[in-house]
Structures are given as structure tokens and as C-alpha cells.
Amino acid sequence: MAASDLINLSGLIDDAKCFALVRQHRWPEGACCPVCGSGAVIRAGHDDTQPCRQRYRCKACSGRFDDLTGTVLAGHHQPLRVWVLCLYFMGLNLSNRQIALELGLDGSDTQAMTEQLRRGLAAKTPAVELTGEVGVSRTHPHERIGMGCGAV
Ligand SMILES: [Zn+2]
């Protein structure tokens, strides 16, 4: 596929539908607060730079969030339509290398995206890394040295 075709393809993708897709995956029963889990949320305008990105306010905890808050898609430098295209190419069984070529992305970027997308389009940002680190650093070298010196 030539670069000009790619631009056309990306241009055909409707941002509103991309965000609707995320909402559908994330909240099949309607939006709920990512902080307290309450379903008592009200719509509170749209993102300043992404007009299709819905903002919400939680009536229970007054928390503010939007369609992508707390998901792997939030704060990523790739626009949502690139994620959706990436997901589409994954469905066609394209390799990471092919997807990178089609989307004009870096190989490592593409790998990170496909890994995250395998967990789900609206999967939560993994908190596993944090707890994993705590588990690994169970021994404190300084403490051991200190104890040894004191005992001898
Ligand atoms: Zn809340």
C-alpha cells in the first residue's frame, strides 16, 4: 500500500465512531466512574483538542474522567484512529512489521500497541508492574550488611 492510500484510509475513519467503539467495549451497560465504580455519572462536555472524546463527572465522588481515562489508550501519542486501524490489521493477521509499515510507525511502538491491544481495546493500564517490583525487592542489602556488622 502506498503512503497516499494510507492517508486516505486514515481519513475515512470517523473519530466519533472510534470513541463510540471504546465506550461500547468499556461500558456496555453505560459509563461508570473509574474511581469509585458508581454509575451515577453525568456528561460534562468534550475534550478541548478531541471533540469526540466525551468527558464525565461522577455524582458520587465528584471525580472527573473521560472516555479514555485509566485505559492503555489514554495519554498515548498515537491518535485513537491509529489504534483502531492497528486493531483492524491485527484482525487480518498482519505481522507487527507489516502493521508498522502500513501505519508508518516505529517497530517497537507497534509491538507495544499490539501487546496492549491483545489485552483489550479499553483494557485498564496495568498495575501489575508496581506490585511485581515490590515483590522482587523483598531483601534490603543495606539492612543485611547492617545486621552483619552489629552481630559480629
Ligand atoms: Zn466516582
Side-chain angles (χ1 to χ4, degrees), residues 52-121:
C52 299
R53 187 168 168 173
Q54 178 73 53
R55 282 174 170 167
Y56 309 87
R57 195 166 61 80
C58 174
K59 289 206 275 188
C61 73
S62 302
R64 288 170 184 277
F65 59 100
D66 66 36
D67 286 332
L68 306 186
T69 301
T71 73
V72 292
L73 307 167
H76 203 278
H77 61 279
Q78 300 298 343
L80 186 58
R81 62 174 65 190
V82 173
W83 284 90
V84 172
L85 271 176
C86 184
L87 193 68
Y88 174 73
F89 288 138
M90 284 166 73
L92 296 178
N93 277 326
L94 262 63
S95 69
N96 281 356
R97 203 177 65 84
Q98 286 172 307
I99 294 173
L101 280 173
E102 297 289 358
L103 295 177
L105 295 175
D106 192 79
S108 58
D109 265 2
T110 308
Q111 189 174 345
M113 287 173 77
T114 55
E115 276 172 16
Q116 287 172 342
L117 284 170
R118 281 194 189 96
R119 294 188 207 116
L121 181 61

Side-chain angles (χ1 to χ4, degrees), residues 33 35-38 58 60-61 63:
C33 175
V35 180
C36 71
S38 169
C58 174
C61 73

Side-chain angles (χ1 to χ4, degrees), residues 54 90 124 140 143:
Q54 178 73 53
M90 284 166 73
K124 285 178 184 170
H140 298 270
E143 202 174 292

